[in-house]
Amino acid sequence: MVTYCRGVIDEDLIFKALADGTRRLILDALHTQSGQSLGALEEIVADRTEMSRFGVAKHLKVLEAADLVIVQRHGRQKLHYLNSVPIRAIYDRWIDKYTEPQVRALTVLKQKAETHHD
Amino acid sequence: MVTYCRGVIDEDLIFKALADGTRRLILDALHTQSGQSLGALEEIVADRTEMSRFGVAKHLKVLEAADLVIVQRHGRQKLHYLNSVPIRAIYDRWIDKYTEPQVRALTVLKQKAETHHD
DNA sequence: TTGACATGTGACTAAATGGTCACCTATTGT
DNA sequence: ACAATAGGTGACCATTTAGTCACATGTCAA
């Protein structure tokens, strides 16, 4: 099976990419501000997890391969943008219009349970 | 940090749980038909991946711990139900009302790119 | 109570993953 | 051209994870 060939993304790459906390932190950073360079993301990540530049770069590569992050070169910089299309696909996979109201109801029930117990 | 204490679910458990293809297959099966027993899920999974009963049971435990699957005992059977609340949370995390239209636009752009290149 | 059925547990191996480092490439400004 | 800046690569090790097995628990029906 092809791992990455312009548009045809293995779903496994997407979920595996999301499975790491550092990568989710990067996505959060890009959600807050789009178009950040590796250096900028480096700083943000290093702020809470002691991680080298190489670690961040490696995570970004995983996110790129999963198409969760889109890159755009700008001179010697590489700007990163969050692509939320695959995330929407996750939602669509297990939640459809008919079950959506049930989900809302469940959320309320669970919140009640949380406030009472413990 | 607490791993599982009634309602307070570590986000890491959710994403890690979704990172495995077999577990996603199980979620699909439960999305198609709710309230299936371990035995029933065993058969479905074994249909496409050669996996022992123990493997399936282990995956179900992971899904339970992540609160993606809710269980209900019924005599000597254990019935499993898909809980889509955590999945909705993923959606809400990186997609908000304002960026949603952009996502739609991006999808169109990407599809065009795919048809032209390669 | 006894056997058959449905599921649970803990230990163990093989494979995948996260992280770092030494070293390499490409671009900008002077 | 040269140094400085921004980023990339491949090898390497430590940890985690997927999967299996032998064995244990609990429930139903006769």
Side-chain angles (χ1 to χ4, degrees):
Chain A
M1 177 166 289
V2 187
T3 52
Y4 183 55
C5 68
R6 187 183 293 284
V8 182
I9 303 289
D10 194 347
E11 62 150 52
D12 205 53
L13 288 180
I14 296 168
F15 288 102
K16 287 244 163 64
L18 289 173
D20 183 87
T22 305
R23 288 195 285 265
R24 293 195 297 274
L25 175 60
I26 292 174
L27 290 184
D28 287 338
L30 290 178
H31 183 232
T32 305
Q33 181 174 354
S34 249
Q36 301 198 59
S37 70
L38 168 60
L41 293 168
E42 227 180 282
E43 279 191 53
I44 293 176
V45 172
D47 253 12
R48 46 201 95 185
T49 75
E50 298 295 322
M51 188 181 295
S52 72
R53 181 171 68 81
F54 309 99
V56 180
K58 207 167 178 179
H59 285 304
L60 278 171
K61 207 159 91 175
V62 174
L63 289 169
E64 271 183 64
D67 205 35
L68 282 162
V69 160
I70 296 174
V71 299
Q72 185 182 350
R73 293 220 72 111
H74 223 262
R76 57 183 155 183
Q77 282 192 327
K78 194 177 175 186
L79 303 183
H80 300 79
Y81 300 87
L82 170 62
N83 177 25
S84 40
V85 173
I87 294 165
R88 162 147 204 119
I90 296 174
Y91 180 85
D92 290 337
R93 178 168 184 171
W94 289 300
I95 301 182
D96 43 48
K97 311 184 201 82
Y98 313 106
T99 56
E100 220 279 344
Q102 295 178 26
V103 171
R104 288 250 175 244
L106 246 178
T107 309
V108 174
L109 279 175
K110 286 182 64 64
Q111 281 172 350
K112 279 187 184 170
E114 282 162 26
T115 53
H116 291 318
H117 303 277
D118 199 11
Chain B
M1 177 167 289
V2 187
T3 52
Y4 184 54
C5 69
R6 187 185 296 281
V8 183
I9 302 289
D10 194 347
E11 62 150 53
D12 206 53
L13 288 180
I14 296 168
F15 288 102
K16 287 245 164 64
L18 289 173
D20 183 87
T22 306
R23 289 195 285 264
R24 293 195 298 273
L25 176 60
I26 292 173
L27 291 183
D28 286 337
L30 290 177
H31 183 231
T32 304
Q33 182 173 351
S34 249
Q36 301 198 58
S37 70
L38 168 59
L41 292 169
E42 229 179 280
E43 278 191 52
I44 293 176
V45 172
D47 253 12
R48 45 201 98 184
T49 75
E50 298 296 324
M51 187 181 297
S52 73
R53 181 171 67 81
F54 309 98
V56 181
K58 208 169 180 180
H59 284 305
L60 279 170
K61 207 158 89 176
V62 174
L63 288 169
E64 271 184 63
D67 205 34
L68 282 162
V69 159
I70 297 174
V71 299
Q72 185 183 350
R73 294 221 71 111
H74 223 261
R76 57 183 156 183
Q77 282 192 325
K78 192 177 177 186
L79 303 185
H80 301 78
Y81 299 86
L82 170 62
N83 177 23
S84 40
V85 173
I87 295 165
R88 163 144 204 119
I90 296 175
Y91 180 84
D92 290 336
R93 178 168 183 171
W94 289 301
I95 300 183
D96 44 49
K97 310 186 203 80
Y98 313 106
T99 57
E100 222 278 344
Q102 295 178 26
V103 171
R104 290 246 176 249
L106 246 180
T107 310
V108 174
L109 278 175
K110 286 181 63 65
Q111 281 171 351
K112 278 187 184 173
E114 282 160 28
T115 52
H116 290 317
H117 303 276
D118 201 9

